[in-house]
Amino acid sequence: MQANGSEHPVDGSDVDRPVLALVAHDAKKDVIVAFAERNRDKLSGFRLVATGTTGGRIKDACPELDVTRLKSGPLGGDQQIGAMIAEGQLDGLMFFVDPLSPMPHDVDVKALMRLALVYDIPMALNLSTAEILLRSARLTGLSSTSTTPQIADLRP
Ligand SMILES: O=C(CO)COP(=O)(O)O
């Protein structure tokens, strides 16, 4: 067990599996849990990071998955994932957004999406796109396949 609560480190020393972030707003928690249960075999090929409550729900439903739980979204979890993007530690983001509820941490949500755009990270914001992205070779081979020159320059 690592200090981060996972069976595996998140410092890049486990280079075999890409790192995928899973986040869901409260109204979408059941949707992301069902998504994880349905796709547990595919998700086992990733090191997963998740905001606190989302990660707890996924870990309860799929205890075999390697999920590192960060802080809850409103307490900084979105920003932690954004920092991982900026540090070149994330290969994909699935963020099941609730578009119908006001969020106290809306600026954090926007900042996370902005960094995913800046760094050209594959990002799914709803269920149907997440299902497609999970089957994409782009996700599993992202760090070596991005052809965006500015982003290639930014990678550490
Ligand atoms: O608020 C969130 C994303 O903005 C999700 O955070 P939790 O997974 O902790 O509920």
Side-chain angles (χ1 to χ4, degrees):
M1 178 77 74
Q2 302 291 314
N4 57 37
S6 164
E7 295 296 326
H8 303 274
V10 290
D11 61 1
S13 56
D14 179 359
V15 292
D16 293 342
R17 291 177 299 154
V19 182
L20 176 63
L22 299 176
V23 184
H25 287 145
D26 287 350
K28 300 292 180 181
K29 293 275 195 307
D30 290 345
V31 178
I32 203 167
V33 168
F35 169 80
E37 289 177 321
R38 214 167 37 247
N39 292 291
R40 58 208 309 158
D41 289 349
K42 281 195 167 52
L43 289 173
S44 67
F46 293 86
R47 290 162 50 215
L48 302 172
V49 296
T51 47
T53 318
T54 302
R57 289 283 310 273
I58 291 171
K59 195 75 184 162
D60 285 347
C62 307
E64 79 280 12
L65 293 180
D66 173 20
V67 184
T68 297
R69 291 175 64 193
L70 304 174
K71 290 183 183 294
S72 184
L75 298 179
D78 298 72
Q79 296 221 19
Q80 287 181 291
I81 293 173
M84 290 183 69
I85 292 174
E87 297 285 353
Q89 296 173 354
L90 204 67
D91 296 301
L93 169 64
M94 294 178 176
F95 192 161
F96 288 38
V97 174
D98 171 10
L100 298 177
S101 306
M103 303 282 160
H105 58 304
D106 192 50
V107 289
D108 296 32
V109 173
K110 286 201 172 69
L112 172 54
M113 291 179 188
R114 181 181 169 279
L115 284 175
L117 293 171
V118 168
Y119 286 86
D120 195 23
I121 297 293
M123 170 173 60
L125 299 178
N126 62 14
L127 175 61
S128 57
T129 316
E131 295 280 7
I132 294 167
L133 183 57
L134 193 57
R135 287 152 181 79
S136 166
R138 167 85 170 158
L139 182 60
T140 50
L142 173 75
S143 44
S144 59
T145 60
S146 178
T147 55
T148 307
Q150 304 93 313
I151 298 310
D153 291 347
L154 285 170
R155 289 186 194 287

